[in-house]
Amino acid sequence: MTAAFPATRRCDTDSSLYDVAIVGFGPAGATLANLLALRGIRTLVLEREADIYRLPRAIHFDGECMRVFQTIGIAHELAGKLVVAPGMRFVDAKGRLLIDWQRPTEVGPQGWHASYRFHQPDLEAALRQRLAGSGSVDVRLRHEVFAIEQQSDCAVLRFEDMASGQLRQAAARYVVGCDGARSLVRRLMGTELEDMKSHERWLVVDVVLKREREDLGDHSIQYCDPARPATYVRGVGSRRRWELMVMPGEDPAVMTRPEAIWKLLSKWVTPDDAELERPAVYTFHSVVAQGWRRERLLIAGDAAHQTPPFLGQGMCAGIRDASNLAWKLADVVTGQACASLLDTYESERSPHVREFIETAVRLGAVIQATDSDASRQCDQAFSHKPQMLSTPQPRLGPGAHDAGAAGCIAMQPRRADGMLMDDLVGYRYTLVIEPGLLHTTQSLLRERAARERATDGPALYVAHDAQTRAWLAGLPARAALLRPDRYLAGFACDTEELAALLDRTVTRLRAAGADPSCRSGTTASNQGNHQCPDQA
């Protein structure tokens, strides 16, 4: 393996220097590329595969992800290809309800539904098509990276053009590895994975129904049966998925044969009902990388963390990574922020994703209990009073936001004319304010712009509707500053507090050279991560 940092010398290239190089063009990499394109960041994407993988993989994302897709501009295109998911039920071997995880089916505070089922090739196609017209993103398929060399002001990527066999290189100021669980970028960084002690093999079977089977239902079902734990998931259209735990001594090669699969599925469907689309045996891992950035190299998505699927948050976590990282990279490479802002990526995201993984592991312990005594204890704990479950809503860890109640994902108001806030304000910082604070806020922003000779301050959104005013009152605040990723940077009760909030934000983002303390440093402590109020 080529070392990531063998030398410290300047790049010998100027016009060919990219701002960001992304290794991997799955959902996380494609989302990151799209968000960087919104800021005009010169980006190179290198992907070893020739095309999108056309079979199902991830099948769930949430309202926060849909809001990211809205920012990119593909949400309405996707909407017609999605199914709103009503929730999940956990039942024991006798069919008794143990846990009832209901997800609201009405539009939620993000401006979208809480939970969607989707077909991953549809999402990837939409993300790639959106990039097709971008003049700032260079996508190269069938190009495999094999080495990265860190230099003083860039990183040089060496890769093979797999169509011609030619070896090439390119330079970028930053490199982001969105290259999956076996990430080359992570290995070149020397980053290790923290094992969260949940690794089980499951057979995943996707089928396409030949006829209507309304009796299968729209809810996902977790069958907590010690004889063989299993999961049913309703997909989009006629697609359905079953996941079945591989038991000790079973041969995965035998289990993926059609005759074995139909035997396992016989209690639900037969070959008369459906066609097999894809069987695969996976090991569901639970790990978190210890070090998401090393100088000019970063990782995102499965390269940074892997989770069991029991919360449906695997791909969602990668989309959140891209959303958190994109605006920070853009601010750093355009000189609006110092490089140390990138250290807040891990300090914010790691504890956030860890809470989802820990919850999935706890649920997995219920689902995967195959020991008779352990299974009986779980059944007894839940059978008399089924537990209600809600999706975790953790705050970000410490980083580019105020302490306390900040660090939550903000709501997205909808105006009376139907327009959503994010479509009106664009991909930038936004101040949500009470109507009574409008004139003083405008004066404050004009004064700051004149003093700092700035032309691009935060967008303003006036809370004319009762729902947004109630959200502000619940903080409590009269003004709230939202980051480009729609997380709450801080809030204020009057113009004096608002001025101080804006000063704190500028200090956090201060460009290198303007602030002598602005330099690459270690990540902040991961303490202080708590639940956000009123976002379930």
Side-chain angles (χ1 to χ4, degrees):
M1 183 184 302
T2 301
F5 307 102
T8 303
R9 61 180 186 274
R10 295 185 61 81
C11 286
D12 55 4
T13 175
D14 292 315
S15 60
S16 60
L17 179 66
Y18 291 91
D19 293 318
V20 178
I22 300 170
V23 182
F25 201 29
T31 297
L32 179 60
N34 271 280
L35 292 172
L36 292 172
L38 293 178
R39 293 285 299 272
I41 303 304
R42 190 162 185 247
T43 304
L44 171 66
V45 180
L46 297 169
E47 166 58 52
R48 71 179 308 277
E49 301 298 333
D51 198 1
I52 294 166
Y53 185 71
R54 295 294 173 179
L55 295 176
R57 286 189 288 185
I59 57 174
H60 168 266
F61 63 75
D62 57 25
E64 184 178 341
C65 291
M66 190 62 160
R67 192 172 177 182
V68 176
F69 301 145
Q70 175 196 346
T71 296
I72 290 170
I74 62 170
H76 290 291
E77 175 187 347
L78 290 175
K81 301 175 182 179
L82 305 175
V83 172
V84 176
M88 182 182 295
R89 293 167 178 158
F90 293 65
V91 300
D92 66 11
K94 297 180 179 179
R96 293 177 299 186
L97 183 64
L98 303 177
I99 300 175
D100 192 5
W101 180 12
Q102 293 293 332
R103 283 170 166 153
T105 54
E106 66 274 9
V107 171
Q110 297 297 305
W112 299 96
H113 296 282
S115 179
Y116 293 95
R117 300 291 178 198
F118 78 110
H119 185 48
Q120 183 169 330
D122 292 341
L123 171 63
E124 293 197 52
L127 288 167
R128 294 189 181 193
Q129 182 60 38
R130 188 67 177 176
L131 279 176
S134 170
S136 63
V137 180
D138 178 4
V139 176
R140 303 188 194 182
L141 303 177
R142 295 205 70 197
H143 282 67
E144 183 172 20
V145 176
F146 60 84
I148 304 173
E149 179 182 319
Q150 171 102 337
Q151 300 182 2
S152 63
D153 58 350
C154 72
V156 176
L157 301 98
R158 305 188 191 281
F159 49 89
E160 179 185 356
D161 179 343
M162 299 170 69
S164 66
Q166 290 183 311
L167 302 183
R168 303 181 183 277
Q169 70 177 43
R173 295 179 63 186
Y174 292 95
V175 177
V176 185
C178 300
D179 49 344
R182 299 176 182 175
S183 170
L184 172 69
V185 178
R186 185 186 67 231
R187 284 180 281 152
L188 293 177
M189 288 168 62
T191 290
E192 296 183 353
L193 297 173
E194 179 187 349
D195 186 354
M196 300 178 71
K197 309 299 183 183
S198 179
H199 307 276
E200 296 291 346
R201 290 189 304 172
W202 283 65
L203 170 66
V204 179
V205 181
D206 290 291
V207 307
V208 179
L209 295 178
K210 298 177 181 178
R211 58 187 181 88
E212 290 292 330
R213 285 291 308 274
E214 294 183 1
D215 57 302
L216 293 173
D218 293 335
H219 281 78
S220 296
I221 308 292
Q222 297 284 3
Y223 295 95
C224 305
D225 183 351
R228 186 184 300 277
T231 302
Y232 161 74
V233 183
R234 189 227 196 277
V236 297
S238 57
R239 285 189 165 86
R240 302 293 184 270
R241 172 175 290 181
W242 278 269
E243 299 170 357
L244 304 110
M245 190 172 173
V246 178
M247 305 304 286
E250 291 185 321
D251 184 349
V254 173
M255 290 186 71
T256 53
R257 293 173 183 169
E259 61 272 18
I261 291 171
W262 287 120
K263 184 176 180 180
L264 290 169
L265 298 184
S266 60
K267 67 173 71 174
W268 299 290
V269 288
T270 70
D272 293 332
D273 299 308
E275 295 179 352
L276 292 179
E277 185 173 31
R278 184 198 68 142
V281 172
Y282 287 95
T283 300
F284 296 159
H285 293 293
S286 57
V287 294
V288 179
Q290 300 298 289
W292 297 23
R293 177 193 176 205
R294 184 176 178 187
E295 297 299 329
R296 298 186 179 275
L297 303 188
L298 304 102
I299 50 175
D302 284 355
H305 42 71
Q306 296 151 52
T307 180
F310 307 120
L311 277 175
Q313 286 290 320
M315 191 196 77
C316 295
I319 302 302
R320 289 188 177 95
D321 290 346
S323 181
N324 185 288
L325 183 57
W327 67 273
K328 295 176 181 179
L329 280 168
D331 280 3
V332 169
V333 300
T334 57
Q336 298 177 58
C338 62
S340 61
L341 178 64
L342 299 177
D343 290 326
T344 68
Y345 166 53
E346 180 179 6
S347 70
E348 291 181 348
R349 284 290 303 135
S350 181
H352 190 282
V353 74
R354 182 182 295 272
E355 182 156 343
F356 280 103
I357 296 173
E358 289 172 345
T359 303
V361 169
R362 288 196 297 271
L363 288 176
V366 176
I367 299 161
Q368 299 176 133
T370 56
D371 175 82
S372 298
D373 291 338
S375 178
R376 191 179 304 109
Q377 290 174 5
C378 286
D379 291 352
Q380 290 174 351
F382 296 118
S383 59
H384 296 298
K385 184 180 180 181
Q387 300 293 300
M388 302 299 293
L389 182 68
S390 60
T391 305
Q393 295 290 336
R395 288 194 179 99
L396 298 175
H401 57 83
D402 286 349
C408 293
I409 185 71
M411 69 166 294
Q412 178 176 205
R414 185 183 294 272
R415 290 196 322 191
D417 62 3
M419 287 288 290
L420 286 164
M421 179 187 72
D422 294 355
D423 293 331
L424 294 165
V425 302
Y427 187 46
R428 58 195 294 197
Y429 269 89
T430 299
L431 268 174
V432 179
I433 59 172
E434 287 185 353
L437 214 58
L438 175 60
H439 296 303
T440 54
T441 299
Q442 289 175 324
S443 298
L444 172 64
L445 294 178
R446 283 195 296 267
E447 292 170 5
R448 292 180 63 87
R451 183 173 69 249
E452 299 173 8
R453 299 181 181 178
T455 58
D456 188 25
L460 278 180
Y461 185 89
V462 183
H464 290 297
D465 63 288
Q467 183 184 19
T468 310
R469 291 198 298 272
W471 177 72
L472 286 171
L475 288 173
R478 298 185 66 199
L481 180 63
L482 312 187
R483 309 184 325 181
D485 59 5
R486 320 307 184 187
Y487 275 79
L488 181 61
F491 52 86
C493 292
D494 53 40
T495 51
E496 183 177 343
E497 289 186 5
L498 179 55
L501 170 60
L502 294 173
D503 286 341
R504 290 194 301 276
T505 302
V506 169
T507 298
R508 292 190 188 105
L509 305 179
R510 184 73 64 185
D515 181 355
S517 68
C518 185
R519 58 186 182 276
S520 288
T522 57
T523 57
S525 165
N526 285 342
Q527 297 178 358
N529 186 41
H530 303 289
Q531 291 287 323
C532 291
D534 305 323
Q535 292 289 315

Coordinates of all heavy atoms in Angstrom, one line a residue, residues 229-275:
P229 N -34.6 -15.3 13.4 CA -35.1 -13.9 13.3 C -35.2 -13.5 11.8 O -34.4 -13.9 11.0 CB -33.9 -13.2 14.0 CG -33.4 -14.2 14.9 CD -33.4 -15.5 14.2
A230 N -36.2 -12.7 11.5 CA -36.4 -12.3 10.1 C -37.0 -10.9 10.1 O -37.6 -10.4 11.1 CB -37.4 -13.3 9.5
T231 N -37.0 -10.3 8.9 CA -37.5 -8.9 8.7 C -38.3 -8.9 7.4 O -37.8 -9.5 6.4 CB -36.4 -7.9 8.7 OG1 -35.6 -7.9 9.9 CG2 -36.9 -6.5 8.5
Y232 N -39.4 -8.2 7.4 CA -40.1 -7.9 6.2 C -40.2 -6.4 5.9 O -40.5 -5.7 6.9 CB -41.6 -8.5 6.2 CG -42.5 -7.9 5.2 CD1 -42.4 -8.2 3.9 CD2 -43.4 -6.9 5.6 CE1 -43.3 -7.6 2.9 CE2 -44.3 -6.3 4.6 CZ -44.2 -6.7 3.3 OH -45.0 -6.1 2.4
V233 N -39.9 -6.0 4.7 CA -39.9 -4.6 4.3 C -40.7 -4.4 3.0 O -40.4 -5.1 2.0 CB -38.5 -4.0 4.2 CG1 -38.6 -2.5 3.9 CG2 -37.7 -4.3 5.4
R234 N -41.6 -3.5 3.1 CA -42.4 -3.1 1.8 C -41.5 -2.1 1.1 O -41.1 -1.1 1.6 CB -43.7 -2.5 2.2 CG -44.6 -2.3 1.0 CD -45.2 -0.9 1.0 NE -46.3 -0.8 0.1 CZ -46.2 -0.6 -1.3 NH1 -45.0 -0.5 -1.8 NH2 -47.3 -0.4 -2.0
G235 N -41.2 -2.5 -0.2 CA -40.5 -1.6 -1.1 C -41.4 -0.7 -1.9 O -42.6 -0.7 -1.7
V236 N -40.8 -0.1 -2.9 CA -41.6 0.7 -3.8 C -42.3 -0.2 -4.9 O -41.7 -1.2 -5.2 CB -40.8 1.9 -4.5 CG1 -40.3 2.8 -3.4 CG2 -39.7 1.3 -5.3
G237 N -43.4 0.2 -5.4 CA -44.1 -0.5 -6.4 C -44.4 -2.0 -6.0 O -44.9 -2.2 -4.9
S238 N -43.9 -2.9 -6.7 CA -44.2 -4.3 -6.4 C -43.0 -5.0 -5.8 O -43.0 -6.2 -5.6 CB -44.5 -5.1 -7.7 OG -43.5 -4.9 -8.7
R239 N -42.0 -4.2 -5.3 CA -40.8 -4.8 -4.7 C -41.1 -5.0 -3.2 O -41.7 -4.2 -2.5 CB -39.6 -3.8 -4.8 CG -39.0 -3.8 -6.2 CD -37.7 -3.1 -6.3 NE -37.0 -3.4 -7.5 CZ -37.2 -2.8 -8.7 NH1 -38.1 -1.8 -8.7 NH2 -36.6 -3.1 -9.8
R240 N -40.6 -6.2 -2.7 CA -40.7 -6.5 -1.3 C -39.3 -7.1 -0.9 O -38.6 -7.7 -1.8 CB -41.8 -7.5 -1.0 CG -43.2 -7.0 -1.4 CD -43.7 -5.9 -0.6 NE -45.0 -5.5 -0.9 CZ -45.4 -4.6 -1.9 NH1 -44.4 -4.0 -2.6 NH2 -46.6 -4.3 -2.1
R241 N -39.0 -7.0 0.4 CA -37.7 -7.5 0.8 C -38.0 -8.4 2.1 O -38.7 -8.0 3.0 CB -36.7 -6.4 1.1 CG -35.5 -6.9 1.8 CD -34.4 -5.8 2.0 NE -33.9 -5.4 0.7 CZ -32.9 -4.4 0.6 NH1 -32.5 -3.8 1.6 NH2 -32.5 -4.2 -0.6
W242 N -37.2 -9.5 2.2 CA -37.2 -10.3 3.4 C -35.7 -10.4 3.8 O -34.8 -10.6 2.9 CB -37.8 -11.6 3.3 CG -39.3 -11.6 3.4 CD1 -40.0 -11.8 4.6 CD2 -40.2 -11.5 2.4 NE1 -41.3 -11.8 4.3 CE2 -41.5 -11.5 3.0 CE3 -40.1 -11.2 1.0 CZ2 -42.7 -11.4 2.2 CZ3 -41.3 -11.1 0.3 CH2 -42.5 -11.1 0.9
E243 N -35.4 -10.2 5.0 CA -34.0 -10.5 5.6 C -34.1 -11.6 6.6 O -35.0 -11.5 7.5 CB -33.5 -9.2 6.2 CG -33.4 -8.0 5.2 CD -33.1 -6.7 5.8 OE1 -33.0 -6.6 7.1 OE2 -32.9 -5.7 5.1
L244 N -33.3 -12.6 6.5 CA -33.4 -13.8 7.4 C -32.0 -14.0 7.9 O -31.0 -14.1 7.2 CB -33.9 -15.0 6.6 CG -35.2 -14.8 5.9 CD1 -35.0 -14.7 4.4 CD2 -36.2 -15.8 6.3
M245 N -31.9 -14.2 9.2 CA -30.6 -14.4 9.9 C -30.1 -15.7 9.5 O -30.8 -16.8 9.5 CB -30.8 -14.3 11.4 CG -29.5 -14.3 12.2 SD -29.9 -13.9 13.9 CE -28.2 -14.1 14.6
V246 N -28.8 -15.8 9.2 CA -28.0 -17.0 8.9 C -27.7 -17.6 10.3 O -27.0 -17.0 11.1 CB -26.8 -16.7 8.1 CG1 -26.0 -18.0 7.9 CG2 -27.1 -16.1 6.8
M247 N -28.2 -18.9 10.5 CA -28.0 -19.5 11.8 C -26.6 -20.3 11.8 O -26.1 -20.6 10.7 CB -29.1 -20.5 12.0 CG -30.5 -19.8 11.9 SD -30.7 -18.4 13.0 CE -30.9 -19.3 14.6
P248 N -26.1 -20.6 13.0 CA -24.8 -21.3 13.1 C -24.8 -22.6 12.3 O -25.8 -23.3 12.3 CB -24.7 -21.6 14.6 CG -25.5 -20.5 15.2 CD -26.7 -20.2 14.3
G249 N -23.7 -22.8 11.5 CA -23.6 -24.0 10.7 C -24.2 -24.0 9.4 O -24.0 -24.9 8.6
E250 N -24.9 -22.9 9.0 CA -25.5 -22.8 7.7 C -24.5 -22.3 6.7 O -23.7 -21.4 7.0 CB -26.8 -21.9 7.7 CG -27.9 -22.6 8.5 CD -29.2 -21.8 8.4 OE1 -29.1 -20.5 8.5 OE2 -30.3 -22.4 8.3
D251 N -24.6 -22.8 5.5 CA -23.7 -22.4 4.4 C -24.4 -21.3 3.5 O -25.4 -21.6 2.9 CB -23.4 -23.7 3.5 CG -22.4 -23.4 2.4 OD1 -22.1 -22.2 2.2 OD2 -21.9 -24.3 1.8
P252 N -23.8 -20.1 3.5 CA -24.4 -19.1 2.7 C -24.6 -19.4 1.2 O -25.6 -19.0 0.6 CB -23.5 -17.9 2.9 CG -22.8 -18.1 4.2 CD -22.7 -19.6 4.3
A253 N -23.7 -20.2 0.7 CA -23.7 -20.6 -0.7 C -25.0 -21.4 -1.0 O -25.6 -21.3 -2.0 CB -22.5 -21.3 -1.1
V254 N -25.3 -22.3 0.0 CA -26.5 -23.1 -0.2 C -27.8 -22.3 0.1 O -28.8 -22.4 -0.7 CB -26.5 -24.3 0.9 CG1 -27.8 -25.1 0.9 CG2 -25.3 -25.2 0.6
M255 N -27.7 -21.4 1.0 CA -28.9 -20.6 1.3 C -29.4 -19.7 0.2 O -30.5 -19.3 0.1 CB -28.7 -19.7 2.6 CG -28.5 -20.5 3.8 SD -28.4 -19.4 5.3 CE -30.1 -18.7 5.4
T256 N -28.4 -19.3 -0.7 CA -28.8 -18.3 -1.8 C -29.3 -19.1 -3.0 O -29.6 -18.4 -4.0 CB -27.6 -17.5 -2.1 OG1 -26.4 -18.3 -2.4 CG2 -27.2 -16.5 -1.0
R257 N -29.4 -20.4 -3.0 CA -29.9 -21.1 -4.1 C -31.5 -20.9 -4.1 O -32.1 -20.9 -3.1 CB -29.6 -22.6 -4.0 CG -28.2 -23.0 -4.1 CD -27.9 -24.4 -3.8 NE -26.5 -24.7 -3.8 CZ -25.9 -25.9 -3.4 NH1 -26.7 -26.8 -2.9 NH2 -24.6 -26.1 -3.5
P258 N -32.1 -20.8 -5.3 CA -33.5 -20.5 -5.4 C -34.4 -21.4 -4.6 O -35.3 -21.0 -3.9 CB -33.8 -20.6 -6.9 CG -32.5 -20.2 -7.5 CD -31.4 -20.8 -6.6
E259 N -34.1 -22.8 -4.6 CA -34.9 -23.7 -3.9 C -34.9 -23.5 -2.4 O -35.9 -23.6 -1.7 CB -34.5 -25.1 -4.3 CG -33.1 -25.6 -3.9 CD -32.1 -25.2 -5.0 OE1 -32.4 -24.4 -5.9 OE2 -31.0 -25.8 -5.0
A260 N -33.7 -23.1 -1.9 CA -33.5 -22.8 -0.5 C -34.2 -21.6 -0.1 O -34.9 -21.5 1.0 CB -32.0 -22.8 -0.1
I261 N -34.2 -20.6 -1.0 CA -34.8 -19.3 -0.7 C -36.3 -19.4 -0.6 O -37.0 -19.0 0.3 CB -34.4 -18.2 -1.7 CG1 -32.9 -17.9 -1.6 CG2 -35.3 -17.0 -1.6 CD1 -32.4 -17.0 -2.7
W262 N -36.9 -20.1 -1.6 CA -38.3 -20.3 -1.6 C -38.8 -21.1 -0.4 O -39.9 -20.8 0.2 CB -38.8 -20.9 -2.9 CG -38.7 -20.0 -4.1 CD1 -38.0 -20.2 -5.2 CD2 -39.4 -18.8 -4.2 NE1 -38.2 -19.1 -6.0 CE2 -39.0 -18.2 -5.4 CE3 -40.3 -18.0 -3.4 CZ2 -39.5 -17.0 -5.9 CZ3 -40.7 -16.8 -3.8 CH2 -40.3 -16.3 -5.1
K263 N -38.0 -22.0 0.1 CA -38.4 -22.7 1.3 C -38.4 -21.8 2.5 O -39.4 -21.9 3.3 CB -37.4 -23.9 1.5 CG -37.8 -24.8 2.7 CD -36.8 -25.9 2.9 CE -37.2 -26.8 4.1 NZ -36.2 -28.0 4.2
L264 N -37.5 -20.9 2.6 CA -37.4 -20.0 3.7 C -38.5 -19.0 3.6 O -39.0 -18.5 4.7 CB -36.1 -19.2 3.7 CG -34.8 -20.0 4.1 CD1 -33.6 -19.3 3.7 CD2 -34.8 -20.4 5.5
L265 N -39.0 -18.6 2.4 CA -40.0 -17.6 2.3 C -41.4 -18.2 2.2 O -42.4 -17.4 2.1 CB -39.8 -16.8 1.0 CG -38.5 -16.0 0.9 CD1 -38.5 -15.2 -0.4 CD2 -38.3 -15.0 2.1
S266 N -41.5 -19.5 2.3 CA -42.8 -20.2 2.1 C -43.9 -19.7 3.0 O -45.1 -19.8 2.5 CB -42.6 -21.7 2.2 OG -42.2 -22.0 3.5
K267 N -43.7 -19.2 4.2 CA -44.7 -18.7 5.0 C -45.3 -17.4 4.6 O -46.4 -17.0 5.1 CB -44.2 -18.6 6.5 CG -43.2 -17.6 6.7 CD -42.9 -17.4 8.2 CE -42.1 -18.6 8.7 NZ -41.7 -18.4 10.1
W268 N -44.6 -16.7 3.6 CA -45.1 -15.4 3.2 C -45.5 -15.4 1.7 O -46.5 -15.0 1.3 CB -44.1 -14.4 3.4 CG -43.7 -14.2 4.8 CD1 -44.5 -13.6 5.8 CD2 -42.5 -14.5 5.5 NE1 -43.8 -13.6 7.0 CE2 -42.6 -14.2 6.9 CE3 -41.3 -15.1 5.1 CZ2 -41.6 -14.4 7.8 CZ3 -40.3 -15.3 6.0 CH2 -40.4 -15.0 7.3
V269 N -44.6 -16.0 0.8 CA -44.8 -15.9 -0.6 C -44.3 -17.2 -1.2 O -43.4 -17.9 -0.6 CB -44.1 -14.7 -1.3 CG1 -44.7 -13.4 -1.0 CG2 -42.6 -14.7 -0.9
T270 N -44.7 -17.5 -2.5 CA -44.3 -18.7 -3.2 C -43.8 -18.2 -4.6 O -44.1 -17.0 -5.0 CB -45.4 -19.7 -3.4 OG1 -46.4 -19.1 -4.3 CG2 -46.1 -20.0 -2.1
P271 N -43.3 -19.1 -5.4 CA -42.9 -18.7 -6.8 C -44.1 -18.2 -7.6 O -43.9 -17.5 -8.6 CB -42.2 -19.9 -7.4 CG -41.7 -20.6 -6.2 CD -42.7 -20.4 -5.1
D272 N -45.3 -18.6 -7.2 CA -46.5 -18.2 -8.0 C -46.8 -16.7 -7.7 O -47.4 -16.0 -8.5 CB -47.7 -19.0 -7.6 CG -47.6 -20.4 -8.0 OD1 -46.9 -20.7 -9.1 OD2 -48.2 -21.3 -7.4
D273 N -46.3 -16.2 -6.5 CA -46.6 -14.8 -6.1 C -45.5 -13.8 -6.6 O -45.8 -12.6 -6.8 CB -46.6 -14.7 -4.6 CG -47.7 -15.6 -3.9 OD1 -48.8 -15.5 -4.4 OD2 -47.4 -16.4 -3.0
A274 N -44.3 -14.3 -6.7 CA -43.2 -13.3 -6.9 C -42.0 -13.9 -7.7 O -41.9 -15.2 -7.8 CB -42.7 -12.8 -5.6
E275 N -41.2 -13.1 -8.2 CA -39.9 -13.5 -8.9 C -38.8 -13.0 -8.0 O -38.8 -11.9 -7.5 CB -39.8 -12.8 -10.3 CG -40.8 -13.3 -11.3 CD -40.7 -12.6 -12.6 OE1 -39.9 -11.7 -12.7 OE2 -41.3 -13.0 -13.6

